Amino acid sequence: MRERSFFISPRAALIASALVAASAVFLASMPLASVNLGTMILFIYPFILLLIAGLAGFAPAFGAVAILTLGMYISSRSLAASALSALYLLPPLTAWMACVLLKKPFWHTVGIMLVAYIAVVLAIYIMLQAQSGGNMAAWGAEAAINGLQTLPERDVLLYLFSRSGILQLNTDTVGQVFIENGQAWSFTQEALTELYNQVRTRVDLWLRGVVPTLISSMSINLNVAGTAVALYYARRHAQRVSFKSNDNQLTHLFEHMLPPAFSQWYVPKKYGSLLWMLGGFYLLSRLSRNPTLFLAGGMMYNVFAAVYVLQGLSLVNSFQKARGAQPRTRGLTIVLLFMIASPFAMMLGIFDQLRDPRKLRKQTNTDADSPLDRRM
């Protein structure tokens, strides 16, 4: 049965490999290819790899990592960038494979994957800090400017960014913006200097915030929600493949690590108290001018928000399930709320924690006390 986890479905493996390769080629063909592909590798592809591992097997998932690594090398022409991409993607996937083979339960799996993911993010950050002389954000901003200067479509991209409001040009401060030469045009040096300064500032701010975001909210979303979703679809797909191939081993492949029903997710009171402490520290950190405390408070808020967003989505799923909504409708609602209205979902999670409308804690406490309660 363990061997089947490496290669579950040839059809799913072929489709997954084709989709990953097609998306990598598409991103590599766009302007700022390495930036687009790198952003997808940071925030999107880790979720996709978990789904591939559950639906097609671990071998196709590791093959997808190889495709993405190759795509990063082609788009950036940098062995270091491709190596860092592989280093970032592999640990959570490897940790999940180990947990499946060792038959770890769901929450143990989540804990192991969290440790592996946070450890590799910190390791990459330390490596980049050492390479950049202790200022990764400024180093990355200068690298972005250098890369932008070499692009043939530099002026077109800068113009589109300025028109969309991402960058701004004030003619009162920079004077003339364009130089026309027949049918060609370009930005004046003064305009380019202003635009470069804005790009440098925005990239610097983004790089200062990306590592705390990965460690706090991304780690929870990937290793808790991502793993649960991957297991849900992996189990359904394994049952389908098992029925078609008459292979009963697949039906038991993920049974040892199935998560609780999402409609029953909630934060126990003792952990909820810890989350409220994180939220309180976040509010206090907003009053401080210490950048370290300010950053720590932001990370604590990310953890607080990520957990209660999941609880709020669980509450919505529970209400929809009670009203008989179809699984696809419930799934689409969860995705839309997560992507568009996460603050609203967080408020629902806080409401559920304070009021317990589903009475889950009361049921848990009653079940725990009933063997000792002589009045029953």
Side-chain angles (χ1 to χ4, degrees):
M1 183 168 63
R2 291 183 177 182
E3 291 76 11
R4 289 307 306 271
S5 65
F6 286 91
F7 203 78
I8 296 174
S9 169
R11 181 172 177 269
L14 182 62
I15 293 174
S17 300
L19 289 177
V20 170
S23 64
V25 170
F26 173 74
L27 293 171
S29 65
M30 296 176 63
L32 303 176
S34 59
V35 175
N36 295 325
L37 184 56
T39 303
M40 291 286 289
I41 286 174
L42 280 177
F43 297 106
I44 303 299
Y45 280 121
F47 294 93
I48 295 175
L49 290 176
L50 293 181
L51 282 172
I52 293 174
L55 298 176
F58 290 111
F62 286 117
V65 173
I67 293 173
L68 294 175
T69 302
L70 179 61
M72 177 55 72
Y73 175 74
I74 294 173
S75 60
S76 66
R77 298 299 177 183
S78 171
L79 284 174
S82 59
L84 288 177
S85 300
L87 179 61
Y88 174 77
L89 294 171
L90 284 174
L93 189 60
T94 304
W96 193 28
M97 180 183 70
C99 292
V100 170
L101 297 180
L102 296 175
K103 296 186 176 182
K104 297 291 184 181
F106 175 73
W107 290 113
H108 290 184
T109 300
V110 167
I112 294 171
M113 292 177 65
L114 273 171
V115 171
Y117 179 80
I118 293 174
V120 74
V121 170
L122 289 175
I124 292 175
Y125 174 71
I126 292 171
M127 292 167 57
L128 292 177
Q129 281 287 86
Q131 183 178 353
S132 61
N135 195 341
M136 183 192 74
W139 174 72
E142 289 302 323
I145 295 298
N146 294 334
L148 185 61
Q149 289 175 337
T150 62
L151 288 177
E153 62 272 19
R154 177 199 65 185
D155 288 357
V156 175
L157 287 173
L158 290 175
Y159 176 75
L160 292 175
F161 289 156
S162 64
R163 293 289 295 176
S164 63
I166 298 176
L167 303 176
Q168 296 180 351
L169 275 177
N170 188 345
T171 56
D172 295 335
T173 58
V174 301
Q176 185 178 353
V177 174
F178 300 110
I179 299 175
E180 295 186 10
N181 184 12
Q183 295 182 348
W185 64 270
S186 62
F187 283 106
T188 63
Q189 188 59 46
E190 292 78 8
L192 281 176
T193 300
E194 175 62 23
L195 291 171
Y196 284 160
N197 288 336
Q198 293 184 31
V199 170
R200 186 179 291 107
T201 300
R202 282 160 174 74
V203 174
D204 184 277
L205 290 174
W206 187 81
L207 289 176
R208 290 181 187 277
V210 67
V211 173
T213 300
L214 292 176
I215 291 176
S216 52
S217 57
M218 177 65 180
S219 63
I220 294 174
N221 291 332
L222 172 65
N223 299 293
V224 180
T227 304
V229 171
L231 284 171
Y232 172 78
Y233 286 105
R235 185 191 182 197
R236 293 183 59 183
H237 183 70
Q239 291 175 340
R240 192 177 301 114
V241 173
S242 175
F243 176 78
K244 291 182 179 179
S245 61
N246 195 24
D247 184 358
N248 292 327
Q249 290 183 344
L250 283 176
T251 59
H252 306 292
L253 186 58
F254 300 105
E255 282 190 349
H256 60 279
M257 61 191 312
L258 289 179
F262 185 59
S263 59
Q264 303 295 312
W265 281 28
Y266 69 96
V267 179
K269 283 189 175 181
K270 60 178 180 179
Y271 299 116
S273 300
L274 295 176
L275 289 173
W276 287 114
M277 292 175 60
L278 295 182
F281 186 88
Y282 160 74
L283 294 176
L284 292 176
S285 70
R286 301 302 97 174
L287 304 176
S288 173
R289 295 183 178 180
N290 187 307
T292 302
L293 290 178
F294 198 86
L295 178 61
M299 293 179 66
M300 291 181 182
Y301 172 78
N302 288 341
V303 173
F304 177 90
V307 172
Y308 280 124
V309 164
L310 292 179
Q311 182 159 330
L313 295 176
S314 172
L315 177 65
V316 172
N317 184 266
S318 177
F319 287 162
Q320 287 188 304
K321 195 172 184 179
R323 292 175 178 269
Q326 295 296 319
R328 291 183 179 178
T329 303
R330 301 200 305 266
L332 181 61
T333 302
I334 290 172
V335 171
L336 291 177
L337 279 176
F338 180 78
M339 297 180 64
I340 300 174
S342 287
F344 176 69
M346 182 186 71
M347 297 303 297
L348 289 177
I350 294 174
F351 168 76
D352 183 64
Q353 184 71 14
L354 295 175
R355 303 296 297 175
D356 191 22
R358 294 177 289 177
K359 308 301 179 185
L360 294 178
R361 295 174 190 81
K362 183 176 180 180
Q363 292 176 9
T364 303
N365 293 335
T366 302
D367 292 343
D369 294 341
S370 58
L372 303 177
D373 192 347
R374 300 180 182 277
R375 296 172 297 173
M376 297 297 290

